[in-house]
Amino acid sequence: MTSLPSAPLGLTYSASHDTVRVELSGDLDHLHADLLVEAVDRLLTEHPGLRDLRLDCAGLSAVDSSGLAALLMVRRRTGAAGAGLHLDARTVQLDRLLELTGTLEYLTAPGAGAQALRGPGCGVPRGGPADENRTTPPSGVAEPRA
């Protein structure tokens, strides 16, 4: 089997007051995934008040498992910095990859940063205040019979 050569990953930046937009082109694959993570690290350092990082994915020709791992790392880093991540102009292939891997919702969740990723009750240990005030059992748990 012959494989096609990987197209270098192109990154083009534009920034406003609290938003950075990065146009991606080429392949986000095992040869180039680290470039995206390094670029995002640099952008988060250069723009400490960043609220939104917008990745324009229209120019991506391929994304492999390393590219997916890079997107997940970018999500973690933007969340830790309190910035929202937006995957704009996703290709059909990218959407399919995200759906198949169960990462679509995680990578495209609305809201700013890590707070948007937390569901109700996250971060509250079992037996804590959330459990003390519970009037109905959690779903899937039968109530004891008298």
Side-chain angles (χ1 to χ4, degrees), residues 113-124:
Q115 292 297 336
L117 301 177
R118 295 188 183 135
C122 286
V124 178

Side-chain angles (χ1 to χ4, degrees), residues 97-133:
L97 174 66
L98 299 180
E99 287 172 7
L100 285 171
T101 59
T103 57
L104 179 65
E105 187 176 328
Y106 175 71
L107 286 169
T108 61
Q115 292 297 336
L117 301 177
R118 295 188 183 135
C122 286
V124 178
R126 285 234 169 250
D131 282 354
E132 291 171 10
N133 297 326

Side-chain angles (χ1 to χ4, degrees), residues 28-112:
L28 183 56
D29 61 7
H30 67 284
L31 296 174
H32 306 103
D34 288 344
L35 295 174
L36 176 61
V37 176
E38 292 167 5
V40 168
D41 284 343
R42 197 169 44 253
L43 289 169
L44 291 171
T45 300
E46 292 171 0
H47 301 273
L50 186 68
R51 292 191 53 165
D52 292 298
L53 176 65
R54 305 194 78 86
L55 300 181
D56 183 334
C57 302
L60 285 176
S61 48
V63 180
D64 69 5
S65 59
S66 296
L68 176 60
L71 291 173
L72 292 168
M73 182 61 68
V74 166
R75 179 61 162 163
R76 280 187 224 104
R77 298 213 173 141
T78 55
L85 175 64
H86 307 273
L87 301 181
D88 298 332
R90 295 185 311 272
T91 63
V92 171
Q93 294 85 356
L94 178 56
D95 266 348
R96 178 84 171 127
L97 174 66
L98 299 180
E99 287 172 7
L100 285 171
T101 59
T103 57
L104 179 65
E105 187 176 328
Y106 175 71
L107 286 169
T108 61

